[in-house]
Amino acid sequence: MKGKGKPNPIDVHVGSKIRQRRTLLGMSQEKLGDSIGLTFQQVQKYERGMNRVGASRLYDLARVLDVPVGYFFSDMPQEIADQSPVRHRELEEKPAESITQEINPMAKRETLELVRAYYKITDPQLRKRLFEMTKALGSAADASAETEEAL
Protein backbone atom coordinates (compact mmCIF):
# COMPACT_ATOMS: atom_id res chain seq x y z
CA MET A 1 0.00 0.00 0.00
CA LYS A 2 2.76 2.41 0.89
CA GLY A 3 3.93 4.72 -1.84
CA LYS A 4 0.87 4.32 -4.06
CA GLY A 5 -0.68 7.64 -3.04
CA LYS A 6 -3.74 5.97 -1.55
CA PRO A 7 -4.68 6.24 2.11
CA ASN A 8 -4.49 3.10 4.22
CA PRO A 9 -8.02 1.63 4.49
CA ILE A 10 -7.67 1.38 8.26
CA ASP A 11 -6.90 5.12 8.44
CA VAL A 12 -9.95 5.77 6.23
CA HIS A 13 -12.11 3.71 8.60
CA VAL A 14 -10.83 5.53 11.68
CA GLY A 15 -11.38 8.86 9.92
CA SER A 16 -14.95 7.95 9.02
CA LYS A 17 -15.63 7.08 12.67
CA ILE A 18 -14.23 10.48 13.72
CA ARG A 19 -16.51 12.19 11.19
CA GLN A 20 -19.49 10.06 12.21
CA ARG A 21 -19.18 10.92 15.89
CA ARG A 22 -18.41 14.60 15.26
CA THR A 23 -21.46 14.92 13.03
CA LEU A 24 -23.71 13.10 15.51
CA LEU A 25 -22.64 15.60 18.15
CA GLY A 26 -23.36 18.49 15.76
CA MET A 27 -19.77 19.65 16.05
CA SER A 28 -17.99 21.46 13.22
CA GLN A 29 -14.53 20.47 12.01
CA GLU A 30 -13.33 23.86 13.21
CA LYS A 31 -14.69 23.33 16.74
CA LEU A 32 -13.19 19.85 16.94
CA GLY A 33 -9.86 21.19 15.70
CA ASP A 34 -9.90 24.00 18.25
CA SER A 35 -10.64 21.48 21.01
CA ILE A 36 -7.48 19.51 20.26
CA GLY A 37 -5.23 22.30 18.96
CA LEU A 38 -5.53 21.66 15.21
CA THR A 39 -6.85 23.48 12.16
CA PHE A 40 -10.06 22.31 10.51
CA GLN A 41 -7.94 21.34 7.49
CA GLN A 42 -6.03 18.85 9.62
CA VAL A 43 -9.31 17.45 10.94
CA GLN A 44 -10.43 17.05 7.29
CA LYS A 45 -7.27 15.12 6.48
CA TYR A 46 -7.85 12.81 9.45
CA GLU A 47 -11.49 12.28 8.47
CA ARG A 48 -10.52 11.36 4.91
CA GLY A 49 -7.75 9.05 6.07
CA MET A 50 -5.15 11.12 4.24
CA ASN A 51 -3.20 11.62 7.47
CA ARG A 52 -2.75 8.88 10.03
CA VAL A 53 -3.97 9.68 13.55
CA GLY A 54 -1.29 9.10 16.17
CA ALA A 55 -2.04 7.40 19.48
CA SER A 56 -1.96 10.55 21.61
CA ARG A 57 -4.14 12.42 19.12
CA LEU A 58 -6.59 9.51 19.00
CA TYR A 59 -6.77 9.61 22.79
CA ASP A 60 -7.52 13.35 22.67
CA LEU A 61 -10.18 12.82 20.00
CA ALA A 62 -11.82 10.10 22.08
CA ARG A 63 -12.00 12.41 25.09
CA VAL A 64 -13.40 15.37 23.14
CA LEU A 65 -15.90 13.17 21.26
CA ASP A 66 -16.81 11.33 24.49
CA VAL A 67 -16.17 7.80 23.22
CA PRO A 68 -13.71 5.05 24.17
CA VAL A 69 -10.66 4.74 21.92
CA GLY A 70 -11.95 1.37 20.71
CA TYR A 71 -14.93 3.16 19.14
CA PHE A 72 -12.73 4.20 16.22
CA PHE A 73 -12.03 0.56 15.36
CA SER A 74 -15.51 -0.80 16.00
CA ASP A 75 -17.50 -2.23 13.11
CA MET A 76 -14.36 -2.49 10.97
CA PRO A 77 -15.05 -4.94 8.14
CA GLN A 78 -12.62 -7.85 7.97
CA GLU A 79 -11.59 -6.81 4.44
CA ILE A 80 -10.29 -3.53 5.87
CA ALA A 81 -8.60 -5.13 8.88
CA ASP A 82 -6.83 -7.44 6.44
CA GLN A 83 -5.18 -4.38 4.84
CA SER A 84 -2.91 -3.98 7.87
CA PRO A 85 0.77 -4.21 6.81
CA VAL A 86 1.31 -6.95 9.40
CA ARG A 87 -1.65 -8.85 7.98
CA HIS A 88 -0.18 -8.48 4.47
CA ARG A 89 3.01 -10.24 5.58
CA GLU A 90 0.90 -12.98 7.15
CA LEU A 91 -0.87 -13.53 3.82
CA GLU A 92 2.46 -14.43 2.15
CA GLU A 93 2.80 -11.46 -0.14
CA LYS A 94 -0.38 -12.15 -2.11
CA PRO A 95 -1.16 -9.51 -4.76
CA ALA A 96 -3.08 -6.60 -3.32
CA GLU A 97 -6.75 -6.78 -4.20
CA SER A 98 -8.86 -3.68 -4.64
CA ILE A 99 -10.58 -2.61 -1.47
CA THR A 100 -14.29 -3.20 -1.68
CA GLN A 101 -15.82 -1.40 1.21
CA GLU A 102 -19.55 -1.71 1.46
CA ILE A 103 -21.34 1.57 1.69
CA ASN A 104 -21.90 2.06 5.39
CA PRO A 105 -25.16 3.96 5.90
CA MET A 106 -23.85 5.30 9.23
CA ALA A 107 -21.02 7.04 7.38
CA LYS A 108 -23.45 9.08 5.29
CA ARG A 109 -24.22 12.66 6.32
CA GLU A 110 -27.92 12.10 5.57
CA THR A 111 -28.11 9.26 8.13
CA LEU A 112 -26.29 11.24 10.79
CA GLU A 113 -28.52 14.27 10.30
CA LEU A 114 -31.60 12.05 10.44
CA VAL A 115 -30.47 10.50 13.73
CA ARG A 116 -29.74 13.92 15.24
CA ALA A 117 -33.14 15.25 14.14
CA TYR A 118 -34.87 12.12 15.47
CA TYR A 119 -33.40 12.56 18.94
CA LYS A 120 -34.43 16.21 18.99
CA ILE A 121 -38.07 15.05 19.08
CA THR A 122 -38.94 15.40 22.75
CA ASP A 123 -42.33 13.66 22.69
CA PRO A 124 -41.60 9.93 23.21
CA GLN A 125 -44.89 8.84 21.65
CA LEU A 126 -44.32 10.94 18.54
CA ARG A 127 -40.78 9.62 18.27
CA LYS A 128 -42.00 6.03 18.57
CA ARG A 129 -44.69 6.60 15.88
CA LEU A 130 -42.07 8.07 13.55
CA PHE A 131 -39.83 5.08 14.22
CA GLU A 132 -42.63 2.61 13.46
CA MET A 133 -43.63 4.52 10.32
CA THR A 134 -40.03 4.51 9.07
CA LYS A 135 -39.75 0.76 9.66
CA ALA A 136 -43.05 0.20 7.80
CA LEU A 137 -41.87 2.30 4.85
CA GLY A 138 -38.62 0.35 4.72
CA SER A 139 -40.49 -2.96 4.77
CA ALA A 140 -42.83 -1.75 2.03
CA ALA A 141 -39.84 -0.74 -0.10
CA ASP A 142 -38.25 -4.17 0.41
CA ALA A 143 -41.51 -5.93 -0.54
CA SER A 144 -41.85 -3.74 -3.64
CA ALA A 145 -38.29 -4.52 -4.71
CA GLU A 146 -38.84 -8.25 -4.22
CA THR A 147 -42.02 -8.10 -6.33
CA GLU A 148 -40.18 -6.30 -9.12
CA GLU A 149 -37.37 -8.87 -9.05
CA ALA A 150 -39.89 -11.72 -9.31
CA LEU A 151 -41.40 -10.23 -12.48
Side-chain angles (χ1 to χ4, degrees), residues 40-88:
F40 79 90
Q41 291 96 335
Q42 184 63 43
V43 172
Q44 278 181 336
K45 289 178 182 179
Y46 284 155
E47 289 184 358
R48 292 181 182 151
M50 298 305 290
N51 284 7
R52 183 166 288 150
V53 182
S56 59
R57 187 72 71 203
L58 196 61
Y59 178 79
D60 291 342
L61 285 163
R63 292 191 67 185
V64 169
L65 296 173
D66 195 29
V67 292
V69 172
Y71 165 84
F72 301 109
F73 302 97
S74 66
D75 303 330
M76 184 184 304
Q78 189 60 47
E79 301 85 45
I80 292 176
D82 287 345
Q83 296 300 311
S84 164
V86 170
R87 187 73 174 123
H88 276 287

Side-chain angles (χ1 to χ4, degrees), residues 3-151:
K4 292 187 181 181
K6 293 182 182 178
N8 183 299
I10 296 171
D11 296 330
V12 173
H13 177 80
V14 169
S16 73
K17 296 295 282 188
I18 293 168
R19 179 177 172 270
Q20 177 183 33
R21 182 63 180 167
R22 177 187 60 76
T23 305
L24 276 173
L25 293 174
M27 184 183 292
S28 69
Q29 289 177 332
E30 186 174 5
K31 184 176 178 186
L32 178 58
D34 288 344
S35 299
I36 57 175
L38 296 174
T39 64
F40 79 90
Q41 291 96 335
Q42 184 63 43
V43 172
Q44 278 181 336
K45 289 178 182 179
Y46 284 155
E47 289 184 358
R48 292 181 182 151
M50 298 305 290
N51 284 7
R52 183 166 288 150
V53 182
S56 59
R57 187 72 71 203
L58 196 61
Y59 178 79
D60 291 342
L61 285 163
R63 292 191 67 185
V64 169
L65 296 173
D66 195 29
V67 292
V69 172
Y71 165 84
F72 301 109
F73 302 97
S74 66
D75 303 330
M76 184 184 304
Q78 189 60 47
E79 301 85 45
I80 292 176
D82 287 345
Q83 296 300 311
S84 164
V86 170
R87 187 73 174 123
H88 276 287
R89 285 192 296 272
E90 291 172 0
L91 296 174
E92 304 172 346
E93 302 289 306
K94 290 183 182 178
E97 296 177 16
S98 64
I99 302 163
T100 55
Q101 181 178 3
E102 290 182 27
I103 297 173
N104 177 1
M106 287 306 294
K108 294 182 177 180
R109 177 173 296 281
E110 177 185 28
T111 305
L112 300 173
E113 289 176 3
L114 182 63
V115 170
R116 278 194 12 232
Y118 175 80
Y119 281 108
K120 286 182 181 178
I121 300 171
T122 56
D123 181 346
Q125 289 180 330
L126 178 60
R127 194 164 59 208
K128 182 175 177 151
R129 283 187 285 171
L130 178 62
F131 176 72
E132 295 300 328
M133 180 185 74
T134 305
K135 283 182 10 182
L137 289 170
S139 295
D142 285 345
S144 175
E146 288 174 7
T147 303
E148 287 179 19
E149 287 177 10
L151 298 177

